[in-house]
Amino acid sequence: MKIQYLHTMVRVRNLEASIAFYELLGLKETRRVDNDKGRFTLVFLSPEGQENAAVELTYNWDGDDGLPSDSRHFGHLAYRVEDIYALCEKLQANGITINRPPRDGHMAFVRSPDNISIELIQDGPDLPPAEPWVSMGNTGHW
């Protein structure tokens, strides 16, 4: 039996803030569906050239008060990145908390505006440990 990965869906409360966050990670909007009858918007974002690795942001126009305050039951999204230090620096400069800093030059965790845990993994060999990451403690949970 053949199976094909399609996307991961996450519900969002603020579509613009969520799109901006995923764009900071390097994802680009590849498709958008505005459904007037169902009163929702779907936005698909993918790393460039990887449309088969999409995250689908689902925004309900009338709000979504049923969302849990902490989406830990979801798990996380994971992305392999070219330079984990540069990306974490860019995220931090844009007000994103680095929950688990890349102290080992290999892995970091951040959270989206909707509290979705995002794992960042260094592509190729781990980068040599570097400051300020080595001395930085965890913030919150991931």
Side-chain angles (χ1 to χ4, degrees):
M1 175 183 284
K2 186 176 177 182
I3 189 166
Q4 180 184 14
Y5 174 81
L6 294 178
H7 61 264
T8 299
M9 183 276 271
V10 295
R11 294 185 191 280
V12 300
R13 289 188 174 103
N14 182 320
L15 187 58
E16 291 75 29
S18 294
I19 289 171
F21 171 80
Y22 288 99
E23 286 177 343
L24 283 172
L25 290 178
L27 279 67
K28 303 288 184 213
E29 184 174 328
T30 58
R31 186 165 50 115
R32 181 182 290 243
V33 176
D34 290 313
N35 187 308
D36 293 331
K37 185 176 180 181
R39 303 193 45 75
F40 63 85
T41 297
L42 306 178
V43 176
F44 294 83
L45 300 105
S46 302
E48 190 171 332
Q50 299 179 54
E51 285 71 28
N52 63 337
V55 60
E56 171 194 318
L57 306 182
T58 299
Y59 175 71
N60 293 310
W61 300 354
D62 299 321
D64 203 340
D65 294 332
L67 281 177
S69 62
D70 182 1
S71 298
R72 290 293 295 164
H73 66 279
F74 169 77
H76 64 269
L77 300 174
Y79 294 99
R80 187 176 319 280
V81 301
E82 184 178 13
D83 183 334
I84 197 164
Y85 294 149
L87 180 56
C88 285
E89 186 176 311
K90 175 183 174 182
L91 293 170
Q92 197 172 48
N94 281 276
I96 305 299
T97 299
I98 309 300
N99 300 98
R100 194 280 191 189
R103 291 182 291 272
D104 52 8
H106 173 71
M107 178 183 67
F109 276 88
V110 297
R111 285 189 171 256
S112 77
D114 290 286
N115 220 14
I116 301 299
S117 187
I118 311 292
E119 179 181 23
L120 306 172
I121 300 287
Q122 174 63 39
D123 189 22
D126 296 349
L127 299 180
E131 293 296 344
W133 313 111
V134 172
S135 301
M136 192 178 291
N138 295 338
T139 302
H141 60 278
W142 60 91

